């Protein structure tokens, strides 16, 4: 009897200390699921490949979803949480509402992953993996995705509105938004290169075509032929929801065209062209380098995606592995009595 209670006490100490060391030191690791879900990469790849055959734009949409997750309280899959009594979803934040795509694809991936390895792979890791696989399938950079993120139990719509950069941001504001996340100017330019695939709605750049900065004239940093092209796609007063390709030549390929386009005054958003048209800016030489050196642009993109994927991650026994990506897990009343950290530590270790 006494030895049993000693054993239990000892076990508790092991559990608590094990949990503490995990949550304070845990690093992401590309082989995190090697033993627990070795097929996770191929499962994600198959779903993304199938979906993108019918909808090539989905590769861009999935890439963006990971970005919009990581800039808001870290890469914790908070963007996937739906409205409930306790959650004010980020999906209706201004940069996301009627704009983000691919939530259903992530749910499809999660369903397949759950049937192969239940309660093991987080939705935040699925977003990171889907983003890398999308980049690969779009003939872009590839990298080994560090894994082991856990899912948050909260969302923050205010943070989504405040942290995500807008299409009319000046270079200073872009740098500030990225700097706040620990990303530097090289990261900003490299990651903006994602705007070489996917689409943007006319409403987000139409002012540049007809009435830039309330001047009654187009944006002077816009090439005149490109201006005419865009005016055909987005007539003045036309529907704001019409889509334009970010890259007119290879709209679904993740290549270095973005940077050559900027040099030719063919950036689609003001925030794109700012990287090259702001006089004296340190971004100009980076754009020049990336446009003439695909290897350099890919290398910086890979490194910056890994850096972005590390923002504010929950590891060890923090957060949880959601069963459904759109909802936090139900907790029983008695577990809710303990503090979040310790109750989860016990559950995950038993
Ligand atoms: C630098 C600041 C950025 C700004 C101001 C910005 C803004 C935007 C805007 C306004 C759109 C169009 C949304 C719509 O039409 O509904 C868009 C699309 C997109 N963004 Fe960004 N973005 C930025 C950075 C990034 C980064 C870092 C990534 C990824 C690493 C990214 C990936 C994408 C992709 C792939 C699309 C196309 C999505 C699709 O077609 O579904 N963007 N972005
Ligand atoms: C979550 O919300 C999205 C819209 O934001 C909706 O399309 C989706 O069906 C919802 N998911 C569930 C499981 O209700
Ligand atoms: C999101 O978009 C829908 C549909 O256009 C709109 O009815 C709703 O008011 C928007 N939500 C927010 C919070 O702006
Ligand atoms: C949500 O984000 C805002 C803006 O970043 C922040 O001020 C606020 O404290 C956050 N709310 C919670 C509950 O974390
Ligand atoms: C827009 O106009 C304001 C005031 O007229 C000016 O200070 C600002 O620099 C302009 N912005 C751009 C991007 O031209």
């Amino acid at each position: 009897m006494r030895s049993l209670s000693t054993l239990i006490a000892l076990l508790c100490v092991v559990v608590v200390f094990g949990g503490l060391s995990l949550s304070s030191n845990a690093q992401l690791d590309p082989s995190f699921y090697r033993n627990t879900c070795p097929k996770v990469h191929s499962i994600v790849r198959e779903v993304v490949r199938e979906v993108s055959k019918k909808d090539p734009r989905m590769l861009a949409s999935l890439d963006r979803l990971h970005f919009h997750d990581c800039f808001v309280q870290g890469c914790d899959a908070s963007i996937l949480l739906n409205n409930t009594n306790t959650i004010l979803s980020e999906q209706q934040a201004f940069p996301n509402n009627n704009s983000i795509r691919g939530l259903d694809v992530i749910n499809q991936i999660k369903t397949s992953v759950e049937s192969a390895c239940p309660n093991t792979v987080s939705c935040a890791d699925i977003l990171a993996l889907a983003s890398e696989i999308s980049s690969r399938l779009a003939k872009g950079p590839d990298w080994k995705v560090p894994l082991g993120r856990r899912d948050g139990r909260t969302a923050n719509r205010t943070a989504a509105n405040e942290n995500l950069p807008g299409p009319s941001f000046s270079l200073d504001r872009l740098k500030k938004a990225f700097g706040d996340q620990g990303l530097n100017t090289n990261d900003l330019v490299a990651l903006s290169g994602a705007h070489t695939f996917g689409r943007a709605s006319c409403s987000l750049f139409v002012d540049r075509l007809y009435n830039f900065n309330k001047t009654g004239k187009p944006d002077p940093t816009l090439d005149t032929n490109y201006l005419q092209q865009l005016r055909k796609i987005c007539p003045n007063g036309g529907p704001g929801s019409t889509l334009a390709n970010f890259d007119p030549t290879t709209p679904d390929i993740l290549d270095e065209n973005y940077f050559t386009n900027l040099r030719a005054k063919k950036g689609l958003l003001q925030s794109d062209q700012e990287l090259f048209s702001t006089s004296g800016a340190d971004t100009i030489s980076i754009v020049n380098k990336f446009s003439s050196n695909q290897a350099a642009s890919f290398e910086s993109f890979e490194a910056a995606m890994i850096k972005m994927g590390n923002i504010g991650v929950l590891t060890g026994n923090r957060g949880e592995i959601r069963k459904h990506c759109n909802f936090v897990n139900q907790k029983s009343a008695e577990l809710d009595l303990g503090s979040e950290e310790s109750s989860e530590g016990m559950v995950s270790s038993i």
Side-chain angles (χ1 to χ4, degrees):
M1 197 57 196
R2 219 184 103 216
S3 65
L4 183 63
S5 57
T6 311
L7 184 63
I8 288 172
L10 249 173
L11 268 175
C12 283
V13 169
V14 168
V15 164
V16 167
F17 276 90
L20 281 179
S21 66
L22 267 179
S23 59
S24 52
N25 302 326
Q27 298 272 315
L28 302 183
D29 175 357
S31 57
F32 188 81
Y33 297 112
R34 185 166 48 195
N35 299 320
T36 53
C37 197
K39 283 189 185 157
V40 65
H41 294 84
S42 59
I43 295 170
V44 179
R45 190 181 313 115
E46 274 325 296
V47 176
V48 174
R49 200 211 306 264
E50 269 313 303
V51 170
S52 65
K53 269 191 222 159
K54 288 185 196 125
D55 180 5
R57 181 189 173 195
M58 189 51 72
L59 300 178
S61 306
L62 291 171
D63 185 43
R64 184 169 187 240
L65 218 42
H66 180 46
F67 160 50
H68 281 209
D69 178 30
C70 293
F71 267 51
V72 183
Q73 61 180 32
C75 314
D76 63 347
S78 57
I79 192 172
L80 302 178
L81 291 175
N82 276 23
N83 287 311
T84 63
N85 287 336
T86 53
I87 299 284
L88 187 61
S89 178
E90 293 167 16
Q91 292 159 24
Q92 283 78 39
F94 190 68
N96 293 334
N97 201 20
N98 305 308
S99 179
I100 49 165
R101 302 173 74 243
L103 297 175
D104 46 340
V105 179
I106 298 298
N107 286 345
Q108 216 177 305
I109 295 170
K110 177 67 170 172
T111 304
S112 303
V113 170
E114 282 299 297
S115 67
C117 344
N119 306 318
T120 303
V121 180
S122 67
C123 300
D125 276 347
I126 289 176
L127 286 171
L129 280 170
S131 175
E132 193 272 344
I133 286 162
S134 294
S135 169
R136 237 178 235 264
L137 289 174
K139 303 185 164 57
D142 57 81
W143 60 97
K144 286 200 165 78
V145 184
L147 297 167
R149 296 168 192 79
R150 290 164 65 86
D151 299 319
R153 291 179 51 79
T154 60
N156 190 331
R157 186 182 292 178
T158 310
N161 280 319
E162 287 179 3
N163 299 1
L164 291 165
S168 305
F169 269 26
S170 66
L171 182 57
D172 282 346
R173 291 185 77 190
L174 291 171
K175 284 183 175 183
K176 170 84 168 59
F178 277 65
D180 286 350
Q181 305 289 341
L183 299 173
N184 62 30
T185 302
N186 200 66
D187 300 325
L188 163 65
V189 179
L191 290 175
S192 295
H195 287 177
T196 183
F197 69 163
R199 328 272 179 263
S201 329
C202 291
S203 60
L204 299 171
F205 57 86
V206 73
D207 60 318
R208 301 186 72 208
L209 312 182
Y210 303 99
N211 186 15
F212 179 65
N213 204 10
K214 307 197 168 79
T215 56
K217 295 194 186 114
D219 186 339
T221 66
L222 202 48
D223 169 75
T224 47
N225 290 324
Y226 189 48
L227 171 67
Q228 297 314 322
Q229 229 178 302
L230 290 177
R231 280 180 163 180
K232 279 187 199 130
I233 300 169
C234 310
N236 202 1
S241 58
T242 305
L243 297 169
N245 292 324
F246 268 108
D247 178 1
T249 41
T250 51
D252 296 317
I253 306 288
L254 218 180
D255 50 24
E256 80 287 13
N257 272 4
Y258 175 77
F259 302 106
T260 45
N261 288 340
L262 293 188
R263 292 178 72 173
K265 302 173 81 177
K266 293 177 179 177
L268 185 59
L269 307 178
Q270 183 188 336
S271 57
D272 294 319
Q273 198 60 50
E274 290 268 335
L275 301 177
F276 195 73
S277 62
T278 309
S279 82
D282 54 354
T283 51
I284 293 174
S285 61
I286 304 174
V287 171
N288 283 331
K289 179 175 75 185
F290 288 166
S291 74
S292 62
N293 185 344
Q294 190 187 69
S297 84
F298 276 24
E299 243 172 66
S300 287
F301 187 81
E302 290 154 21
M305 284 298 284
I306 290 173
K307 225 166 138 181
M308 186 179 86
N310 268 305
I311 298 171
V313 293
L314 302 170
T315 55
N317 58 7
R318 301 167 72 204
E320 64 183 16
I321 307 296
R322 267 180 226 152
K323 290 193 202 319
H324 190 303
C325 290
N326 297 151
F327 303 100
V328 300
N329 296 339
Q330 296 295 325
K331 296 254 158 173
S332 71
E334 78 182 30
L335 285 176
D336 281 342
L337 289 175
S339 82
E340 182 125 297
E341 288 269 338
S342 58
S343 60
E344 286 181 8
M346 296 300 283
V347 169
S348 61
S349 309
I350 281 168

